[in-house]
Amino acid sequence: MKLIRAIIRPDKLSDVMKALYQAEVQGITVYHGQGHGGETSAVATYRGTTVKMELTEKVILDIGVSDTFKEPVIQAILNSARTGDVGDGKIFVIPVEEVHRIRTGERDKAAVTPVTEAARSIYNSNPATHRMER
Amino acid sequence: MELSIGRRQLAGPALAAAKRLWIPAILLLVFAEGAGAQEAAISAADTSWMLISTALVLLMTPALAFFYGGLVNTKNMLNTMMMSFVALGVIGVLWALVGYSLAFAPGSGFVGSTANALLRGVGSEPNGTIPHMLFMAYQATFAIITAALISGALIGRMRFGAYVVFIALWGLLVYSPIAHWVWQSGGWLFTRGALDFAGGTVVHVNAGAAALVAAMVLGGRAEYGKRAFLPHNVPFVLLGAGLLWFGWFGFNGGSALASNEIAALAFTNTLLAPTATLLVWALLDHLRTGKITAVGGATGIVVGLVAITPAAGFISPMSALLLGGIAAFPSYFAIQWRSRTRLDDSLDVFAAHGVGGATGALLTGVFASAVANPITGMDGLLRGNPGIMIVQATAVLASFAYSGAMTFILLKLIGLVMPLRGSARDEGVGMDILNHGEEAYLHGDGAVLLLDEEINGSR
C-alpha cells in the first residue's frame, strides 16, 4: 500500500476532487496548510507596514491506496492540479506498513479498497449513521 | 395643510382645487410650488428627522458590504466589501461636485443643469422645510448605495480600477438623470405622475438593470457553472440584512422629507412589508427543499425592503403586508431560474433589486390609496384608477431601458481603455490579492517585513 500526499493550490481542489472521483478513488483526507514552493511572493501593505508573504495557502490531500491504484491517482492529480506556473505543488508517494479500517477491523489491502455496495446500502438505509465514505 | 407628491411640498388650496375640478393634482404643481416657496420655513422637527435619516441611509452602504461580503468566498471578501465602500468616496465627491446638480437643479425633462454644481446655491435656505444642504446630503446617500448595489453582479473577476471608473461615470450619466426624471418637479416621469416614494425605479430597477447588463458584458467567472461558489460567512449575510433593514427606516421614512404622518406611514410599512416577505420566502424554501435557510431569510428581508420602497408612503399598512408577501414570489423564482443559466449575476442583484423593484413599483400602482395618504391623495388600480398602472409601467421600463443601454455603452468604452477583468489565474488567486494586496483573514505567518530599499526592489 501507499500513502499519496499531494500539496496543491486551494483553487484547484475542486478540479482535483472531480478527477479523483472519476478515477474511482473513494477515500481522501483534506487539510489546509501554508507553504513555500519557490513562487514569487506577494507583497502586501497594511497601513505603514509592507511585507512579503513568503508563505502561500496550500491544500494537502492524503490518499491511502493499494499499489494498483497508485498510478491512476498520480495521473489524476497531475492532470487536474497543473496550471503551469510555479507553485502548482508536489506529490509524495510514501510506503505504508499497515492499514486498518476501524469500522470493520479489515486490514491492509482490504482496508484501502473501496467500500462495497453491500456496505454502502446499509449506510444509505440509515442516514443517521451516514458519513463521508467516498 | 400641504400636498406632497413624490418629494415636493405643495400648499393646501391647490389640493382642494385639484379634487374639486378633477384635475390631476400633479398638473397644478408648477404654480402651487411657487406659492409654497414663499411661505416655506425650516421646521426643527423635520430637520431633526432628516438629519437622523441621512445617517441611517449612509449606514446602509457598509451594511450592504457585509451582506455581499458574507455571500462570497474568503479570497474575494475585501474586494467585495471595498466595491461598496469605494462608492462612498467616488459617488460622494462627484455628487457634491456635479451629480446633485444634474439630478435636482432645474433643467430639462431629462436632466438637471449645472446651476448647483460645486454646491453653488446649496446652503442653509429652506428646501421644503429642511435646509437645502441637508436635502443634498440625504440624496447623496441614495446615489452612493445605488452604485454600490451593482457590484454584486461583478464580484470575483472585475478589476477594481475599471470598476471605480465605471461607477463614477454611471453615477453621473445614469443615476443623476433617472433621479431627475422621477423626483425633480420638471422630470418627465414626475410630471406624468409616476409614484416612486423612495426609489423603487430610481434606485432598485436602475441598479438591477445595470447589474444584469454588466454581468453580461463582463462575462461570468472563469469557473462559473463548473464549480459551486458558496457563501463564506452566513452570519455576516444576516448582519448585513439586519443593518440594511435598520438603515431602510431612514431610506423610506426619510423620503417623506418631513417628520409627519406620511413619514410614520412609510416607517410602519418598512417594518411590515419585509416581515411578510420573510415569512413567504421561508415557506417557499420549506416547500421546495424541506428546510428554511438563513441565506434565504436574509434575501427575503432585502427583497421585501426593495419592494416596499416605491410604495412606502402611498399604501396602507395592511396593503404593505400583502405587497411584501406577493413580492417574494417573482424574486424567489427569478433566483432559481438565474442560477440555472450562464448568467453570472453573482449575488442576484437583478433578481432581488431589478425584479423586486419592478414588482414594488407596479404594486404601488395597484395599492395606492388616498385614505392611507390623504396628503398626496393618489388612488391606485384597486381604488378605481387603472391609468396609474400605465404610468408605473412606463417608469419601470424607461429606467430599465436607459440604465441597461448606458451600462452597456459605458462598459464597452471603458473596456477599450483598460482591461475590465483579471485572468483566470488572477481569479484563482482571488481579487483581494490581485486588486488590493491584502487578505481578509490573515494568519501573518511567513510575512517578512520589507525595509524601504527592499520595497523599491521588489515592486
Side-chain angles (χ1 to χ4, degrees):
Chain A
M1 299 86 61
K2 298 279 187 278
L3 178 67
I4 298 180
R5 171 167 293 175
I7 301 168
I8 62 168
R9 296 178 189 273
D11 51 291
K12 281 286 162 191
L13 179 58
S14 301
D15 290 342
V16 172
M17 297 276 279
K18 202 167 151 193
L20 288 173
Y21 289 146
Q22 279 164 358
E24 297 185 346
V25 174
Q26 303 277 350
I28 183 168
T29 305
V30 174
Y31 41 102
H32 291 261
Q34 296 181 319
H36 182 81
E39 60 265 63
T40 318
S41 308
V43 174
T45 303
Y46 297 87
R47 293 207 166 163
T49 306
T50 301
V51 293
K52 194 155 76 173
M53 308 305 287
E54 294 284 13
L55 297 179
T56 43
E57 294 292 316
K58 297 289 173 192
V59 163
I60 302 142
L61 312 175
D62 275 355
I63 308 161
V65 294
S66 57
D67 292 348
T68 50
F69 255 103
K70 188 187 81 171
E71 273 310 310
V73 167
I74 291 171
Q75 287 309 317
I77 298 172
L78 283 177
N79 292 333
S80 57
R82 181 179 293 145
T83 70
D85 295 334
V86 178
D88 277 352
K90 293 275 188 297
I91 301 173
F92 302 100
V93 179
I94 306 160
V96 171
E97 280 189 20
E98 290 178 18
V99 180
H100 301 267
R101 174 174 279 138
I102 295 171
R103 172 171 55 86
T104 58
E106 291 168 287
R107 56 180 295 165
D108 296 343
K109 196 176 169 192
V112 288
T113 50
V115 176
T116 61
E117 280 309 312
R120 191 187 299 282
S121 68
I122 295 170
Y123 291 120
N124 293 344
S125 66
N126 186 356
T129 62
H130 182 77
R131 69 203 85 166
M132 281 294 290
E133 198 65 49
R134 302 180 58 168
Chain B
M1 189 182 171
E2 284 180 325
L3 172 61
S4 161
I5 296 174
R7 308 186 147 224
R8 283 290 180 274
Q9 314 284 320
L10 301 185
L15 172 67
K19 286 200 162 163
R20 210 165 41 238
L21 299 173
W22 291 98
I23 298 169
I26 205 88
L27 294 180
L28 296 173
L29 193 77
V30 178
F31 65 84
E33 195 176 39
Q38 285 161 7
E39 303 160 17
I42 286 174
S43 149
D46 293 349
T47 302
S48 10
W49 170 232
M50 293 312 296
L51 288 167
I52 293 167
S53 289
T54 303
L56 283 170
V57 183
L58 192 77
L59 181 70
M60 289 170 68
T61 296
L64 184 73
F66 275 96
F67 181 73
Y68 279 174
L71 286 169
V72 303
N73 47 19
T74 50
K75 65 187 179 185
N76 295 316
M77 173 61 166
L78 290 181
N79 179 241
T80 301
M81 293 190 79
M82 279 299 289
M83 281 174 135
S84 289
F85 270 87
V86 80
L88 292 162
V90 175
I91 305 293
V93 168
L94 286 174
W95 188 255
L97 293 181
V98 63
Y100 172 72
S101 188
L102 290 177
F104 287 99
S108 69
F110 284 90
V111 68
S113 63
T114 53
N116 293 129
L118 306 177
L119 301 185
R120 274 192 315 258
V122 182
S124 49
E125 75 284 357
N127 181 301
T129 58
I130 63 171
H132 192 177
M133 71 172 76
L134 177 56
F135 178 75
M136 184 280 298
Y138 181 67
Q139 293 299 339
T141 61
F142 280 62
I144 289 166
I145 192 162
T146 306
L149 283 171
I150 306 168
S151 68
L154 311 173
I155 54 101
R157 67 245 200 232
M158 191 162 192
R159 283 187 174 273
F160 199 63
Y163 170 77
V164 168
V165 173
F166 170 66
I167 60 166
L169 294 173
W170 191 90
L172 292 180
L173 301 177
V174 182
Y175 181 82
S176 285
I178 294 183
H180 183 85
W181 299 355
V182 179
W183 283 338
Q184 214 276 344
S185 57
W188 71 275
L189 283 169
F190 187 95
T191 53
R192 276 169 176 73
L195 293 181
D196 186 357
F197 192 75
T201 49
V202 178
V203 173
H204 297 290
V205 171
N206 188 1
L212 177 68
V213 172
M216 286 174 173
V217 174
L218 205 58
R221 287 164 286 185
E223 304 238 287
Y224 180 76
K226 293 181 202 153
R227 54 166 289 231
F229 293 96
L230 299 178
H232 90 282
N233 193 327
V234 177
F236 275 166
V237 179
L238 289 165
L239 175 76
L243 287 176
L244 278 168
W245 200 343
F246 183 72
W248 227 295
F249 286 114
F251 198 89
N252 290 350
S255 287
L257 296 175
S259 183
N260 61 8
E261 63 271 43
I262 302 304
L265 177 69
F267 194 103
T268 306
N269 288 344
T270 305
L271 175 73
L272 291 178
T275 61
T277 320
L278 173 58
L279 274 193
V280 173
W281 202 280
L283 193 69
L284 289 171
D285 253 359
H286 186 71
L287 291 175
R288 199 175 65 85
T289 68
K291 297 229 171 33
I292 293 171
T293 64
V295 172
T299 310
I301 288 170
V302 172
V303 168
L305 288 163
V306 168
I308 194 61
T309 294
F314 297 123
I315 70 175
S316 73
M318 287 314 291
S319 296
L321 272 184
L322 207 54
L323 180 149
I326 295 170
F329 290 91
S331 290
Y332 189 94
F333 292 106
I335 289 177
Q336 299 305 323
W337 163 79
R338 201 279 309 162
S339 57
R340 283 165 183 73
T341 67
R342 289 293 304 152
L343 176 68
D344 189 8
D345 174 5
S346 321
L347 307 182
D348 286 304
V349 185
F350 173 67
H353 297 273
V355 175
T359 305
L362 295 176
L363 290 179
T364 304
V366 173
F367 290 120
S369 158
V371 178
N373 184 337
I375 296 180
T376 312
M378 290 293 275
D379 275 328
L381 178 66
L382 293 182
R383 294 176 59 85
N385 180 15
I388 188 76
M389 296 308 293
I390 294 168
V391 180
Q392 293 301 93
T394 306
V396 169
L397 291 175
S399 308
F400 194 92
Y402 180 74
S403 174
M406 286 298 292
T407 300
F408 182 85
I409 293 168
L410 288 177
L411 282 174
K412 286 293 180 190
L413 288 178
I414 297 167
L416 295 176
V417 186
M418 59 177 86
L420 292 177
R421 53 184 295 169
S423 66
R425 194 71 233 119
D426 292 333
E427 288 182 36
V429 173
M431 293 294 114
D432 289 2
I433 289 176
L434 175 74
N435 284 315
H436 307 284
E438 291 175 293
E439 293 170 69
Y441 305 102
L442 194 67
H443 305 292
D445 303 337
V448 177
L449 182 65
L450 288 182
L451 304 174
D452 282 348
E453 56 273 21
E454 293 172 309
I455 293 172
N456 297 330
S458 66
R459 280 214 173 125

